[in-house]
Amino acid sequence: MLDKPLDREFSVSRLRALVLGHRAQDGALTRDDPALLRVRERRRGLDFENGLDARLRFLCVLAARAARPGEAQLDLRERQDDGPGHPNRLAVHMAAILLDVDGVFHVSGDQIPGGADAVRRLRSDGHRIRFVTNNTTRTRAQQAEDLRAMGLELDEEELQTTPRAAAHALRGKRVLALTMHAIVGELDGVELVGEDAEAVLLGGADETPESNLVFSFMNLARAFHELQAGAELYCLHKNRWWQTKDGPLLDAGAFVAGLEYAADTEAIVLGKPSTAFFEAALAALDADAGMTWMVGDDIESDIAGAQAHGMKTVLVRTGKFRPDAVESGNVRPDGIVSSIAQLPDWLEQNV
């Protein structure tokens, strides 16, 4: 390419493989590819983003977030005026990013500064994004609206929730559901019953008195009876606790563990860190696990869960983050940042 003038649109199979990251399976970073290193050496002294040789002045890769395998047509006429922040820039470091919500963007509804700007920059840098949450107390539409109210730009379809996963897994079954009333409408296709259930489903707790009703002794005893009669145990998540603005609060994982012990069974987890939940997120982004980053505040469900599925991880020092949990545990994230606001800079320096 460097020795021949370019004056028309063309497709370059070698460049396509580098730009779309098809070499990820061999573990090599595209930025360390010999071909790119040779180009960098021969162009030393030039700003690669803005000082391209005139013979390459037309080179432009279509917007990274719209790129998909098989779509490698290069538009050569728009490259000349691209700046570093332009979405069409040559970003061989593009990655798919899964973003937790509670503890990353807010705590009990109180916004963590910098989240909206961070998401805008990640999109501008060409990263594909999906929001993944174990929140089980509000509908997906409500959660999406909450995030928009914080300034985040997202489509509802970009938000993956555990009630939707439950609706998919339990469709057509008779289910005794101990969940917050707000998400009952999310369980589309599930037959909700009070007895003779095929499955028992436990949702998460919240900060309201409704949790006292949902996880009452009588309700838990009813669930135990159904499990003894042969029903399967499902849970939207198995979190021990979550962080509120008033401090840590017991979550429904304690009730799940109690039913597992009493009924001598094991719950099927539908949210993080389950395989089905992470695989659905990867499929939605058309992403490989090895080229995907999970960003969260929970060392267990976010970080350990993602690592078990081959993803890279970044832990934020907000929400559920506890230094002693990192220091004393066996889980080591690939990176730790102060908050979501620092994520774009960290990725730019380390990916």
Side-chain angles (χ1 to χ4, degrees):
M1 283 195 319
L2 290 172
D3 297 325
K4 296 180 181 180
L6 305 173
D7 57 2
R8 60 187 178 84
E9 292 189 3
F10 70 114
S11 295
V12 182
S13 58
R14 179 59 175 150
L15 184 58
R16 169 190 174 188
L18 294 173
V19 172
L20 297 182
H22 289 171
R23 297 182 67 254
Q25 65 270 15
D26 63 13
L29 292 174
T30 52
R31 67 185 181 202
D32 295 328
D33 186 88
L36 287 182
L37 292 175
R38 286 196 298 273
V39 170
R40 186 172 65 187
E41 284 296 317
R42 295 176 65 179
R43 306 316 309 165
R44 185 181 295 275
L46 291 179
D47 177 354
F48 187 68
E49 290 293 342
N50 297 304
L52 289 173
D53 185 280
R55 292 168 292 180
L56 295 175
R57 64 184 181 277
F58 296 127
L59 182 61
C60 174
V61 180
L62 294 178
R65 61 176 172 268
R68 290 291 187 273
E71 297 180 9
Q73 180 66 32
L74 303 181
D75 181 350
L76 305 177
R77 293 172 297 186
E78 298 179 8
R79 180 60 186 175
Q80 187 171 6
D81 298 326
D82 275 6
H86 194 286
N88 283 355
R89 68 193 180 96
L90 182 60
V92 296
H93 63 280
M94 291 181 298
I97 302 175
L98 308 183
L99 298 169
D100 184 28
V101 176
D102 290 21
V104 174
F105 291 101
H106 71 90
V107 174
S108 293
D110 290 347
Q111 185 174 356
I112 294 172
D117 289 339
V119 169
R120 277 191 289 270
R121 183 170 164 191
L122 291 173
R123 293 191 192 278
S124 177
D125 287 346
H127 298 296
R128 290 165 291 159
I129 292 175
R130 190 161 182 83
F131 301 87
V132 291
T133 176
N134 271 354
N135 185 295
T136 64
T137 63
R138 295 175 66 76
T139 67
R140 183 168 69 166
Q142 289 171 332
Q143 292 186 65
E145 189 57 36
D146 291 342
L147 291 173
R148 293 190 195 102
M150 297 177 189
L152 276 74
E153 300 172 358
L154 77 156
D155 295 327
E156 187 176 318
E157 291 300 319
E158 292 180 293
L159 181 60
Q160 182 169 316
T161 64
T162 52
R164 290 298 180 99
H168 181 267
L170 298 173
R171 184 168 289 116
K173 292 183 180 292
R174 292 171 53 83
V175 178
L176 172 65
L178 304 188
T179 67
M180 298 296 112
H181 178 73
I183 68 163
V184 169
E186 301 280 280
L187 301 176
D188 185 45
V190 176
E191 183 182 355
L192 301 178
V193 299
E195 59 184 2
D196 298 327
E198 298 174 84
V200 171
L201 173 66
L202 263 68
D206 69 7
E207 300 174 59
T208 72
E210 186 181 359
S211 293
N212 296 332
L213 301 176
V214 173
F215 301 109
S216 69
F217 174 80
M218 294 306 298
N219 281 346
L220 292 170
R222 179 76 247 174
F224 168 73
H225 176 83
E226 297 298 327
L227 295 172
Q228 287 289 88
E232 291 184 294
L233 178 59
Y234 291 81
C235 59
L236 295 182
H237 63 70
K238 203 176 176 181
N239 294 352
R240 296 182 175 95
W241 61 280
W242 86 97
Q243 183 67 28
T244 74
K245 58 186 177 183
D246 297 320
L249 195 62
L250 182 71
D251 211 335
F255 305 123
V256 176
L259 286 174
E260 287 181 318
Y261 171 73
D264 192 20
T265 188
E266 184 173 349
I268 299 170
V269 181
L270 298 171
K272 292 177 295 180
S274 73
T275 296
F277 193 84
F278 279 125
E279 285 184 348
L282 293 172
L285 293 178
D286 192 19
D288 294 326
M291 295 290 288
T292 302
W293 291 79
M294 176 69 215
V295 181
D297 67 317
D298 190 320
I299 194 70
E300 294 179 346
S301 65
D302 293 332
I303 305 305
Q307 288 181 349
H309 292 84
M311 287 176 265
K312 298 180 176 64
T313 58
V314 174
L315 182 67
V316 294
R317 298 172 63 91
T318 54
K320 293 180 71 171
F321 174 83
R322 298 290 187 273
D324 56 341
V326 179
E327 294 170 4
S328 62
N330 296 321
V331 180
R332 293 289 181 268
D334 295 282
I336 300 178
V337 296
S338 296
S339 75
I340 185 66
Q342 282 71 50
L343 179 65
D345 283 338
W346 189 92
L347 286 174
E348 189 171 278
Q349 296 168 11
N350 293 276
V351 178

